[in-house]
Amino acid sequence: MKLGYACMNTELKTIFRTLRVATAEAEGTGKIKELTMKNFETTLQIINWNLENDIYFYRASSSIVPLSTHPINDWIWWEDPDVLAVTNEIRALVETHGMRVSVHPGQYTVLNSPKPEVVRKSIEDLEYHDKLIQLLGGSDIILHTGGAYGDKDAAKQRFAEAYLALSPSIRQRLRLENDDKTFTVRDVLDVHYICKVPICFDIHHHNCNNDGESVDYAEILKTWEGYGTPKIHISTGKEGFTDLRHHGLVSETDFQELLKLLGGIDADIMFEAKLKEQSVLPFVRQLMHK
């Protein structure tokens, strides 16, 4: 079991640098490269810190390459020797130490949109994340189903059809997560049975959005056959069990609830908490001293 956190490291006070289109227009792709290199170097710094602290699961930032899919960015960053030098170093660490690395495209990457232009841009974003995750030696691209658009069953079908039309490389890495408002665990399992996408289970989202249904983790586990160890998300509500906002830490009660649900089955757990690595460290130490 590997425990991890997403993107920022509070102890290192890391930031990932972004760029406005106007600045890129004024300063050219050289500025995009400058910030990209800083972001990759920040990622390398975090990876090294994680290894020193026995954290073997990490979600890389989606914003490593500023304006990654914008037309102004015509730089072939994934072939640039300077980029490859630092990403080769990252990937070597990841592979040597068996670290799991994932990415999670944002809310505007919506494969099931009824608007073709939105789907087209979403696929472009997934292609960016696929290039990024390969360079980092990662394995998972996490995505939500999208919107219901007044007909949830049709929305599920659109996601499945869009998924099946993706490149084999993206399909090998894409995992579908249940969300906290619209698509329950049952809904994403329905999508799985159409297109075979593995399911990334989020226990807090399930607690907030479940239609009164319990979880059969064995059913979720089966979706991972051929894809490795299942990936799970955990968080604690800021002011209550079903508060959609995330607390700074993950509670011992919530963590034990998840372990009980897993019933001894191996899984890698991503902590989605405001205090990032600070939320993970107590549980890493707890598991190490068992």
Side-chain angles (χ1 to χ4, degrees), residues 18 38 52 55 65 97 100-101 108 110 159-160 162 178 186-187 197 202 207 210 212 231-232 239 244 257 259-260 266:
T18 58
K38 288 180 179 178
E52 291 168 4
I55 294 176
V65 182
H97 296 279
R100 186 170 189 167
V101 176
Y108 299 112
V110 184
F159 182 94
N178 58 302
R186 184 76 264 156
D187 290 325
V197 60
D202 187 308
N207 292 337
N210 57 51
K231 180 182 188 294
I232 291 176
E239 295 183 2
L244 302 185
E257 177 197 355
L259 293 185
K260 183 178 178 180
D266 191 23

Side-chain angles (χ1 to χ4, degrees), residues 17-271:
R17 300 170 185 274
T18 58
L19 186 65
R20 298 176 64 178
V21 173
T23 303
E25 289 174 338
E27 300 190 37
T29 53
K31 187 63 176 180
I32 297 176
K33 177 174 178 177
E34 175 191 333
L35 298 186
T36 296
M37 293 302 300
K38 288 180 179 178
N39 290 340
F40 274 123
E41 287 159 5
T42 296
T43 302
L44 176 59
Q45 182 185 17
I46 293 172
I47 294 288
N48 276 311
W49 188 95
N50 289 346
L51 292 173
E52 291 168 4
N53 289 275
D54 300 304
I55 294 176
Y56 295 95
F57 192 11
Y58 175 64
R59 178 188 299 164
S61 172
S62 288
S63 58
I64 289 178
V65 182
L67 303 174
S68 56
T69 61
H70 194 282
I72 198 171
N73 187 356
D74 58 0
W75 170 43
I76 305 177
W77 57 272
W78 58 94
E79 295 180 0
D80 188 292
D82 295 327
V83 168
L84 294 179
V86 66
T87 56
N88 285 346
E89 189 173 352
I90 293 170
R91 190 169 63 253
L93 288 171
V94 167
E95 293 174 353
T96 298
H97 296 279
M99 178 178 282
R100 186 170 189 167
V101 176
S102 66
V103 289
H104 195 333
Q107 61 181 322
Y108 299 112
T109 304
V110 184
L111 278 182
N112 77 340
S113 172
K115 298 180 179 179
E117 180 65 9
V118 172
V119 176
R120 183 187 68 79
K121 289 182 177 180
S122 297
I123 293 172
E124 287 181 357
D125 192 48
L126 289 175
E127 289 171 344
Y128 156 67
H129 280 88
D130 188 41
K131 291 185 179 74
L132 178 64
I133 201 75
Q134 288 187 63
L135 289 182
L136 297 176
S139 56
D140 307 275
I141 302 173
I142 311 301
L143 198 64
H144 293 292
T145 313
Y149 305 103
D151 187 338
K152 190 185 281 189
D153 287 337
K156 294 177 194 176
Q157 186 66 40
R158 279 198 305 276
F159 182 94
E161 291 172 356
Y163 171 82
L164 291 170
L166 296 170
S167 71
S169 181
I170 296 175
R171 289 202 310 275
Q172 179 61 30
R173 295 174 176 83
L174 192 66
R175 291 76 170 94
L176 181 61
E177 178 188 353
N178 58 302
D179 65 67
D180 55 6
K181 295 177 181 177
T182 306
F183 291 91
T184 66
V185 171
R186 184 76 264 156
D187 290 325
V188 294
L189 283 167
D190 289 345
V191 177
H192 164 78
Y193 289 122
I194 303 171
C195 66
K196 304 305 180 187
V197 60
I199 301 305
C200 175
F201 173 56
D202 187 308
I203 189 169
H204 184 60
H205 287 176
H206 171 70
N207 292 337
C208 296
N209 177 33
N210 57 51
D211 288 341
E213 298 174 335
S214 60
V215 174
D216 179 0
Y217 185 68
E219 188 176 6
I220 296 171
L221 181 65
K222 288 179 182 177
T223 71
W224 283 85
E225 290 180 0
Y227 290 92
T229 304
K231 180 182 188 294
I232 291 176
H233 292 177
I234 189 171
S235 53
T236 291
K238 184 176 181 180
E239 295 183 2
F241 187 64
T242 58
D243 189 341
L244 302 185
R245 298 168 300 169
H246 291 176
H247 194 282
L249 301 170
V250 168
S251 74
E252 177 71 27
T253 299
D254 286 341
F255 187 69
Q256 292 302 324
E257 177 197 355
L258 178 55
L259 293 185
K260 183 178 178 180
L261 179 65
L262 294 179
I265 298 171
D266 191 23
D268 294 332
I269 303 173
M270 175 62 60
F271 283 50

